[in-house]
Amino acid sequence: MDFTTLIDVESLRTLIGTPGTLVLDCRFDLAAPTAGRQAHLLGHIPGARYLDLNRDLSAPVSATSGRHPLPDPQALAAHLAGFGLGPDTQAVVYDESNGSFAARAWWLLRWLGHPKVAVLDGGMDAWLRAKGTLESGEPARGAADPGAGGAHGAGGAHGAKGARGPVAVQVDRRAVVGTDELIAALDNPRTLLIDARAAERFTGAVEPIDPVAGHIPGAANHPFSANLRADGRFLPREELERSWRDRLGAASPTDVIVMCGSGVTACHNLLALERAGFAGARLYAGSWSEWIRDPRRPVAGGSARG
């Protein structure tokens, strides 16, 4: 069975140690960027390799980009191949609990053309509640073995050994919207722009990260937290479907563009849409932090921090 959206703890437990499985730890803290790696070294799901949001899942920030530009696809694919990712690998990504960072990795792997990737529902918290075992430290990284789709040291028996060849990069360029393309799309009345930030950030009541508060005029707000139960797991599929059907209204999923502060938690909404059966939405990768780079772009519901 292939997992392409979510995977539960018990299903992951049966996969660990089997050929063709790669587990990726995506824990991160925006306020303490090294905390995720430190947590990984202290204890992680057996065989998991660590992906850093800033270093691995994003490119360096430029003068015109948002806070988390998309990484170079070839570089990311090579990095993942070094961990053991091959074309037949079942990848599983997780973070602390709610999937807000793991969903970024989920979307990136799909963007590269690798559909067999799923977010661990409930993340590390769910794993620990289920008495899942942990490993500490990090295995030594060996030389890449193209025939196995990655490195001999990629988690030992827990890596993607047995995959046939390295994963081929087939970037889905339609999945991403740039700022100029977004501006053009907003002239189309069928376009539905959905912002995944918390309501108070969307309205501009507070803005703890970016220098300008508010939202893009015409955007609708669907906080990524609305996809979740209280324990950090996703809502049941039927509830996600009802919630997103209400949000989409008459809009087709292919007319939907999602955004957030920097293109990270927007991927959570893309995952929820996919889970709910509404595939085809696109990511405004630069999101709010790129939009406000140019003061000529309009802002609704907020103001600059003084």
Side-chain angles (χ1 to χ4, degrees), residues 224-263:
F224 80 90
S225 59
N227 301 320
L228 299 168
R229 310 182 224 207
D231 63 1
R233 291 181 299 149
F234 277 72
L235 294 171
R237 193 190 300 265
E238 302 77 22
E239 291 187 36
L240 284 175
E241 181 181 0
R242 285 195 296 271
S243 174
W244 279 103
R245 191 179 300 280
D246 289 344
R247 170 54 62 200
L248 296 181
S252 165
T254 56
D255 292 327
V256 173
I257 299 171
V258 299
M259 62 168 291
C260 57
S262 65

mmCIF file of all heavy atoms in Angstrom, residues 224-263:
data_model
loop_
_atom_site.group_PDB
_atom_site.id
_atom_site.type_symbol
_atom_site.label_atom_id
_atom_site.label_comp_id
_atom_site.label_asym_id
_atom_site.label_seq_id
_atom_site.Cartn_x
_atom_site.Cartn_y
_atom_site.Cartn_z
ATOM 1 N N PHE A 224 -4.280 27.187 8.835
ATOM 2 C CA PHE A 224 -3.954 25.763 8.737
ATOM 3 C C PHE A 224 -4.421 24.996 9.964
ATOM 4 O O PHE A 224 -4.706 23.799 9.887
ATOM 5 C CB PHE A 224 -2.456 25.563 8.490
ATOM 6 C CG PHE A 224 -1.586 25.671 9.713
ATOM 7 C CD1 PHE A 224 -1.302 24.542 10.477
ATOM 8 C CD2 PHE A 224 -1.057 26.889 10.107
ATOM 9 C CE1 PHE A 224 -0.500 24.629 11.610
ATOM 10 C CE2 PHE A 224 -0.257 26.990 11.233
ATOM 11 C CZ PHE A 224 0.030 25.852 11.992
ATOM 12 N N SER A 225 -4.522 25.682 11.102
ATOM 13 C CA SER A 225 -4.985 25.022 12.324
ATOM 14 C C SER A 225 -6.421 24.509 12.184
ATOM 15 O O SER A 225 -6.831 23.602 12.923
ATOM 16 C CB SER A 225 -4.884 25.980 13.512
ATOM 17 O OG SER A 225 -5.661 27.147 13.281
ATOM 18 N N ALA A 226 -7.181 25.049 11.236
ATOM 19 C CA ALA A 226 -8.549 24.584 11.035
ATOM 20 C C ALA A 226 -8.602 23.179 10.456
ATOM 21 O O ALA A 226 -9.671 22.550 10.443
ATOM 22 C CB ALA A 226 -9.303 25.546 10.110
ATOM 23 N N ASN A 227 -7.463 22.671 9.990
ATOM 24 C CA ASN A 227 -7.408 21.311 9.460
ATOM 25 C C ASN A 227 -7.202 20.266 10.549
ATOM 26 O O ASN A 227 -7.206 19.065 10.252
ATOM 27 C CB ASN A 227 -6.237 21.184 8.467
ATOM 28 C CG ASN A 227 -6.351 22.139 7.305
ATOM 29 O OD1 ASN A 227 -7.433 22.356 6.772
ATOM 30 N ND2 ASN A 227 -5.220 22.720 6.907
ATOM 31 N N LEU A 228 -7.036 20.705 11.796
ATOM 32 C CA LEU A 228 -6.527 19.833 12.846
ATOM 33 C C LEU A 228 -7.510 19.600 13.980
ATOM 34 O O LEU A 228 -8.340 20.453 14.296
ATOM 35 C CB LEU A 228 -5.250 20.436 13.428
ATOM 36 C CG LEU A 228 -4.080 20.613 12.461
ATOM 37 C CD1 LEU A 228 -3.011 21.486 13.090
ATOM 38 C CD2 LEU A 228 -3.510 19.258 12.055
ATOM 39 N N ARG A 229 -7.362 18.439 14.606
ATOM 40 C CA ARG A 229 -8.006 18.172 15.889
ATOM 41 C C ARG A 229 -7.160 18.806 17.002
ATOM 42 O O ARG A 229 -6.056 19.285 16.771
ATOM 43 C CB ARG A 229 -8.122 16.673 16.122
ATOM 44 C CG ARG A 229 -8.712 15.894 14.982
ATOM 45 C CD ARG A 229 -8.838 14.423 15.342
ATOM 46 N NE ARG A 229 -8.410 13.558 14.254
ATOM 47 C CZ ARG A 229 -8.846 12.325 14.045
ATOM 48 N NH1 ARG A 229 -9.740 11.799 14.846
ATOM 49 N NH2 ARG A 229 -8.397 11.619 13.045
ATOM 50 N N ALA A 230 -7.667 18.741 18.214
ATOM 51 C CA ALA A 230 -6.977 19.346 19.345
ATOM 52 C C ALA A 230 -5.638 18.679 19.631
ATOM 53 O O ALA A 230 -4.716 19.313 20.167
ATOM 54 C CB ALA A 230 -7.865 19.296 20.590
ATOM 55 N N ASP A 231 -5.482 17.392 19.281
ATOM 56 C CA ASP A 231 -4.240 16.690 19.588
ATOM 57 C C ASP A 231 -3.194 16.806 18.486
ATOM 58 O O ASP A 231 -2.157 16.151 18.537
ATOM 59 C CB ASP A 231 -4.520 15.203 19.876
ATOM 60 C CG ASP A 231 -5.104 14.453 18.676
ATOM 61 O OD1 ASP A 231 -5.279 15.071 17.603
ATOM 62 O OD2 ASP A 231 -5.389 13.247 18.821
ATOM 63 N N GLY A 232 -3.440 17.649 17.478
ATOM 64 C CA GLY A 232 -2.460 17.854 16.420
ATOM 65 C C GLY A 232 -2.631 16.942 15.222
ATOM 66 O O GLY A 232 -1.943 17.120 14.219
ATOM 67 N N ARG A 233 -3.545 15.981 15.296
ATOM 68 C CA ARG A 233 -3.824 15.132 14.138
ATOM 69 C C ARG A 233 -4.824 15.832 13.209
ATOM 70 O O ARG A 233 -5.578 16.708 13.631
ATOM 71 C CB ARG A 233 -4.387 13.781 14.575
ATOM 72 C CG ARG A 233 -3.390 12.889 15.289
ATOM 73 C CD ARG A 233 -4.044 11.560 15.656
ATOM 74 N NE ARG A 233 -5.179 11.755 16.550
ATOM 75 C CZ ARG A 233 -6.253 10.979 16.572
ATOM 76 N NH1 ARG A 233 -6.366 9.959 15.728
ATOM 77 N NH2 ARG A 233 -7.225 11.214 17.437
ATOM 78 N N PHE A 234 -4.805 15.430 11.957
ATOM 79 C CA PHE A 234 -5.743 16.002 10.995
ATOM 80 C C PHE A 234 -7.177 15.558 11.310
ATOM 81 O O PHE A 234 -7.409 14.487 11.867
ATOM 82 C CB PHE A 234 -5.376 15.572 9.581
ATOM 83 C CG PHE A 234 -4.302 16.416 8.954
ATOM 84 C CD1 PHE A 234 -2.987 16.324 9.383
ATOM 85 C CD2 PHE A 234 -4.598 17.316 7.943
ATOM 86 C CE1 PHE A 234 -1.992 17.099 8.816
ATOM 87 C CE2 PHE A 234 -3.625 18.101 7.369
ATOM 88 C CZ PHE A 234 -2.310 17.998 7.803
ATOM 89 N N LEU A 235 -8.116 16.415 10.941
ATOM 90 C CA LEU A 235 -9.517 16.043 11.044
ATOM 91 C C LEU A 235 -9.787 14.813 10.177
ATOM 92 O O LEU A 235 -9.083 14.564 9.195
ATOM 93 C CB LEU A 235 -10.399 17.193 10.559
ATOM 94 C CG LEU A 235 -10.388 18.477 11.376
ATOM 95 C CD1 LEU A 235 -11.151 19.566 10.630
ATOM 96 C CD2 LEU A 235 -10.980 18.258 12.756
ATOM 97 N N PRO A 236 -10.812 14.035 10.516
ATOM 98 C CA PRO A 236 -11.189 12.926 9.637
ATOM 99 C C PRO A 236 -11.455 13.432 8.221
ATOM 100 O O PRO A 236 -11.866 14.582 8.016
ATOM 101 C CB PRO A 236 -12.463 12.385 10.282
ATOM 102 C CG PRO A 236 -12.376 12.807 11.711
ATOM 103 C CD PRO A 236 -11.670 14.123 11.704
ATOM 104 N N ARG A 237 -11.231 12.559 7.250
ATOM 105 C CA ARG A 237 -11.364 12.950 5.848
ATOM 106 C C ARG A 237 -12.728 13.591 5.555
ATOM 107 O O ARG A 237 -12.810 14.586 4.822
ATOM 108 C CB ARG A 237 -11.172 11.718 4.961
ATOM 109 C CG ARG A 237 -10.990 12.055 3.490
ATOM 110 C CD ARG A 237 -11.055 10.788 2.652
ATOM 111 N NE ARG A 237 -10.034 9.840 3.017
ATOM 112 C CZ ARG A 237 -8.845 9.735 2.416
ATOM 113 N NH1 ARG A 237 -8.538 10.560 1.433
ATOM 114 N NH2 ARG A 237 -7.985 8.799 2.797
ATOM 115 N N GLU A 238 -13.792 13.046 6.135
ATOM 116 C CA GLU A 238 -15.130 13.570 5.852
ATOM 117 C C GLU A 238 -15.274 15.014 6.360
ATOM 118 O O GLU A 238 -15.911 15.851 5.707
ATOM 119 C CB GLU A 238 -16.196 12.685 6.494
ATOM 120 C CG GLU A 238 -16.164 11.230 6.046
ATOM 121 C CD GLU A 238 -15.037 10.438 6.710
ATOM 122 O OE1 GLU A 238 -14.563 10.861 7.802
ATOM 123 O OE2 GLU A 238 -14.618 9.419 6.135
ATOM 124 N N GLU A 239 -14.700 15.295 7.532
ATOM 125 C CA GLU A 239 -14.778 16.653 8.069
ATOM 126 C C GLU A 239 -13.936 17.615 7.246
ATOM 127 O O GLU A 239 -14.329 18.772 7.021
ATOM 128 C CB GLU A 239 -14.338 16.666 9.534
ATOM 129 C CG GLU A 239 -15.308 15.973 10.470
ATOM 130 C CD GLU A 239 -14.920 16.145 11.929
ATOM 131 O OE1 GLU A 239 -14.425 17.237 12.275
ATOM 132 O OE2 GLU A 239 -15.096 15.191 12.706
ATOM 133 N N LEU A 240 -12.759 17.165 6.797
ATOM 134 C CA LEU A 240 -11.950 18.007 5.919
ATOM 135 C C LEU A 240 -12.710 18.324 4.635
ATOM 136 O O LEU A 240 -12.681 19.459 4.150
ATOM 137 C CB LEU A 240 -10.633 17.313 5.581
ATOM 138 C CG LEU A 240 -9.550 17.298 6.647
ATOM 139 C CD1 LEU A 240 -8.372 16.461 6.178
ATOM 140 C CD2 LEU A 240 -9.087 18.717 7.001
ATOM 141 N N GLU A 241 -13.381 17.327 4.098
ATOM 142 C CA GLU A 241 -14.125 17.545 2.859
ATOM 143 C C GLU A 241 -15.221 18.586 3.059
ATOM 144 O O GLU A 241 -15.394 19.501 2.241
ATOM 145 C CB GLU A 241 -14.723 16.234 2.364
ATOM 146 C CG GLU A 241 -15.492 16.378 1.054
ATOM 147 C CD GLU A 241 -16.104 15.080 0.585
ATOM 148 O OE1 GLU A 241 -15.939 14.050 1.272
ATOM 149 O OE2 GLU A 241 -16.759 15.101 -0.466
ATOM 150 N N ARG A 242 -15.962 18.485 4.158
ATOM 151 C CA ARG A 242 -17.034 19.457 4.419
ATOM 152 C C ARG A 242 -16.456 20.855 4.606
ATOM 153 O O ARG A 242 -16.978 21.840 4.060
ATOM 154 C CB ARG A 242 -17.835 19.048 5.655
ATOM 155 C CG ARG A 242 -18.792 17.882 5.427
ATOM 156 C CD ARG A 242 -19.792 17.769 6.560
ATOM 157 N NE ARG A 242 -19.139 17.455 7.835
ATOM 158 C CZ ARG A 242 -18.914 16.213 8.260
ATOM 159 N NH1 ARG A 242 -19.285 15.180 7.524
ATOM 160 N NH2 ARG A 242 -18.327 15.998 9.424
ATOM 161 N N SER A 243 -15.386 20.940 5.382
ATOM 162 C CA SER A 243 -14.776 22.237 5.666
ATOM 163 C C SER A 243 -14.278 22.912 4.394
ATOM 164 O O SER A 243 -14.522 24.103 4.158
ATOM 165 C CB SER A 243 -13.621 22.053 6.663
ATOM 166 O OG SER A 243 -12.915 23.248 6.853
ATOM 167 N N TRP A 244 -13.585 22.131 3.568
ATOM 168 C CA TRP A 244 -13.025 22.716 2.356
ATOM 169 C C TRP A 244 -14.087 22.942 1.289
ATOM 170 O O TRP A 244 -13.977 23.884 0.491
ATOM 171 C CB TRP A 244 -11.872 21.868 1.852
ATOM 172 C CG TRP A 244 -10.617 22.179 2.605
ATOM 173 C CD1 TRP A 244 -10.041 21.444 3.595
ATOM 174 C CD2 TRP A 244 -9.829 23.351 2.454
ATOM 175 N NE1 TRP A 244 -8.924 22.088 4.073
ATOM 176 C CE2 TRP A 244 -8.774 23.253 3.391
ATOM 177 C CE3 TRP A 244 -9.890 24.476 1.635
ATOM 178 C CZ2 TRP A 244 -7.785 24.235 3.517
ATOM 179 C CZ3 TRP A 244 -8.917 25.457 1.753
ATOM 180 C CH2 TRP A 244 -7.882 25.333 2.684
ATOM 181 N N ARG A 245 -15.127 22.142 1.261
ATOM 182 C CA ARG A 245 -16.209 22.401 0.317
ATOM 183 C C ARG A 245 -16.857 23.744 0.640
ATOM 184 O O ARG A 245 -17.177 24.531 -0.263
ATOM 185 C CB ARG A 245 -17.246 21.283 0.368
ATOM 186 C CG ARG A 245 -18.260 21.339 -0.779
ATOM 187 C CD ARG A 245 -19.261 20.204 -0.697
ATOM 188 N NE ARG A 245 -18.616 18.910 -0.772
ATOM 189 C CZ ARG A 245 -18.211 18.339 -1.904
ATOM 190 N NH1 ARG A 245 -18.362 18.980 -3.051
ATOM 191 N NH2 ARG A 245 -17.645 17.146 -1.884
ATOM 192 N N ASP A 246 -17.033 24.026 1.922
ATOM 193 C CA ASP A 246 -17.580 25.314 2.326
ATOM 194 C C ASP A 246 -16.644 26.457 1.938
ATOM 195 O O ASP A 246 -17.097 27.518 1.498
ATOM 196 C CB ASP A 246 -17.825 25.341 3.833
ATOM 197 C CG ASP A 246 -18.991 24.461 4.270
ATOM 198 O OD1 ASP A 246 -19.791 24.073 3.401
ATOM 199 O OD2 ASP A 246 -19.067 24.153 5.473
ATOM 200 N N ARG A 247 -15.340 26.250 2.115
ATOM 201 C CA ARG A 247 -14.378 27.302 1.801
ATOM 202 C C ARG A 247 -14.296 27.553 0.297
ATOM 203 O O ARG A 247 -14.245 28.708 -0.154
ATOM 204 C CB ARG A 247 -12.989 26.919 2.343
ATOM 205 C CG ARG A 247 -11.836 27.813 1.871
ATOM 206 C CD ARG A 247 -12.068 29.269 2.141
ATOM 207 N NE ARG A 247 -12.189 29.548 3.561
ATOM 208 C CZ ARG A 247 -12.756 30.629 4.063
ATOM 209 N NH1 ARG A 247 -13.283 31.526 3.254
ATOM 210 N NH2 ARG A 247 -12.831 30.822 5.367
ATOM 211 N N LEU A 248 -14.313 26.485 -0.506
ATOM 212 C CA LEU A 248 -14.166 26.639 -1.948
ATOM 213 C C LEU A 248 -15.422 27.208 -2.586
ATOM 214 O O LEU A 248 -15.347 27.953 -3.568
ATOM 215 C CB LEU A 248 -13.834 25.296 -2.588
ATOM 216 C CG LEU A 248 -12.498 24.655 -2.186
ATOM 217 C CD1 LEU A 248 -12.303 23.338 -2.923
ATOM 218 C CD2 LEU A 248 -11.336 25.591 -2.465
ATOM 219 N N GLY A 249 -16.577 26.867 -2.059
ATOM 220 C CA GLY A 249 -17.803 27.326 -2.677
ATOM 221 C C GLY A 249 -17.898 26.821 -4.105
ATOM 222 O O GLY A 249 -17.753 25.635 -4.382
ATOM 223 N N ALA A 250 -18.078 27.742 -5.045
ATOM 224 C CA ALA A 250 -18.193 27.368 -6.456
ATOM 225 C C ALA A 250 -16.841 27.264 -7.145
ATOM 226 O O ALA A 250 -16.778 26.893 -8.318
ATOM 227 C CB ALA A 250 -19.069 28.378 -7.186
ATOM 228 N N ALA A 251 -15.761 27.583 -6.447
ATOM 229 C CA ALA A 251 -14.435 27.583 -7.069
ATOM 230 C C ALA A 251 -13.953 26.164 -7.343
ATOM 231 O O ALA A 251 -14.159 25.257 -6.537
ATOM 232 C CB ALA A 251 -13.427 28.301 -6.175
ATOM 233 N N SER A 252 -13.303 25.981 -8.473
ATOM 234 C CA SER A 252 -12.636 24.720 -8.773
ATOM 235 C C SER A 252 -11.303 24.686 -8.039
ATOM 236 O O SER A 252 -10.647 25.731 -7.896
ATOM 237 C CB SER A 252 -12.394 24.604 -10.271
ATOM 238 O OG SER A 252 -11.464 23.564 -10.557
ATOM 239 N N PRO A 253 -10.852 23.520 -7.566
ATOM 240 C CA PRO A 253 -9.531 23.457 -6.914
ATOM 241 C C PRO A 253 -8.407 23.987 -7.795
ATOM 242 O O PRO A 253 -7.443 24.548 -7.285
ATOM 243 C CB PRO A 253 -9.366 21.960 -6.629
ATOM 244 C CG PRO A 253 -10.758 21.432 -6.527
ATOM 245 C CD PRO A 253 -11.561 22.231 -7.507
ATOM 246 N N THR A 254 -8.545 23.851 -9.107
ATOM 247 C CA THR A 254 -7.488 24.335 -9.996
ATOM 248 C C THR A 254 -7.447 25.856 -10.094
ATOM 249 O O THR A 254 -6.496 26.419 -10.630
ATOM 250 C CB THR A 254 -7.647 23.733 -11.400
ATOM 251 O OG1 THR A 254 -8.950 24.037 -11.908
ATOM 252 C CG2 THR A 254 -7.467 22.217 -11.366
ATOM 253 N N ASP A 255 -8.469 26.527 -9.581
ATOM 254 C CA ASP A 255 -8.479 27.992 -9.536
ATOM 255 C C ASP A 255 -7.978 28.518 -8.193
ATOM 256 O O ASP A 255 -7.954 29.731 -7.977
ATOM 257 C CB ASP A 255 -9.897 28.524 -9.779
ATOM 258 C CG ASP A 255 -10.384 28.270 -11.188
ATOM 259 O OD1 ASP A 255 -9.552 28.294 -12.110
ATOM 260 O OD2 ASP A 255 -11.597 28.026 -11.358
ATOM 261 N N VAL A 256 -7.589 27.613 -7.295
ATOM 262 C CA VAL A 256 -7.177 27.996 -5.952
ATOM 263 C C VAL A 256 -5.665 28.193 -5.896
ATOM 264 O O VAL A 256 -4.895 27.391 -6.423
ATOM 265 C CB VAL A 256 -7.601 26.926 -4.926
ATOM 266 C CG1 VAL A 256 -7.017 27.230 -3.543
ATOM 267 C CG2 VAL A 256 -9.120 26.849 -4.854
ATOM 268 N N ILE A 257 -5.241 29.267 -5.246
ATOM 269 C CA ILE A 257 -3.835 29.534 -4.939
ATOM 270 C C ILE A 257 -3.741 29.696 -3.430
ATOM 271 O O ILE A 257 -4.534 30.428 -2.829
ATOM 272 C CB ILE A 257 -3.334 30.800 -5.649
ATOM 273 C CG1 ILE A 257 -3.442 30.639 -7.176
ATOM 274 C CG2 ILE A 257 -1.902 31.118 -5.243
ATOM 275 C CD1 ILE A 257 -3.179 31.922 -7.945
ATOM 276 N N VAL A 258 -2.791 29.002 -2.815
ATOM 277 C CA VAL A 258 -2.647 29.077 -1.359
ATOM 278 C C VAL A 258 -1.366 29.819 -1.003
ATOM 279 O O VAL A 258 -0.381 29.780 -1.733
ATOM 280 C CB VAL A 258 -2.668 27.683 -0.701
ATOM 281 C CG1 VAL A 258 -3.976 26.975 -0.980
ATOM 282 C CG2 VAL A 258 -1.504 26.839 -1.177
ATOM 283 N N MET A 259 -1.393 30.474 0.134
ATOM 284 C CA MET A 259 -0.251 31.249 0.606
ATOM 285 C C MET A 259 -0.257 31.253 2.128
ATOM 286 O O MET A 259 -1.178 30.750 2.770
ATOM 287 C CB MET A 259 -0.314 32.683 0.078
ATOM 288 C CG MET A 259 -1.541 33.461 0.557
ATOM 289 S SD MET A 259 -1.452 35.238 0.237
ATOM 290 C CE MET A 259 -0.140 35.734 1.382
ATOM 291 N N CYS A 260 0.782 31.847 2.711
ATOM 292 C CA CYS A 260 0.870 32.032 4.158
ATOM 293 C C CYS A 260 1.876 33.151 4.384
ATOM 294 O O CYS A 260 1.903 34.117 3.619
ATOM 295 C CB CYS A 260 1.282 30.725 4.846
ATOM 296 S SG CYS A 260 2.838 30.027 4.251
ATOM 297 N N GLY A 261 2.706 33.034 5.408
ATOM 298 C CA GLY A 261 3.716 34.053 5.639
ATOM 299 C C GLY A 261 4.918 33.906 4.729
ATOM 300 O O GLY A 261 5.458 34.887 4.226
ATOM 301 N N SER A 262 5.343 32.639 4.500
ATOM 302 C CA SER A 262 6.565 32.435 3.710
ATOM 303 C C SER A 262 6.523 31.182 2.849
ATOM 304 O O SER A 262 7.566 30.716 2.401
ATOM 305 C CB SER A 262 7.783 32.378 4.640
ATOM 306 O OG SER A 262 7.709 31.238 5.499
ATOM 307 N N GLY A 263 5.343 30.608 2.641
ATOM 308 C CA GLY A 263 5.233 29.440 1.787
ATOM 309 C C GLY A 263 5.431 28.120 2.499
ATOM 310 O O GLY A 263 5.643 27.097 1.844
#
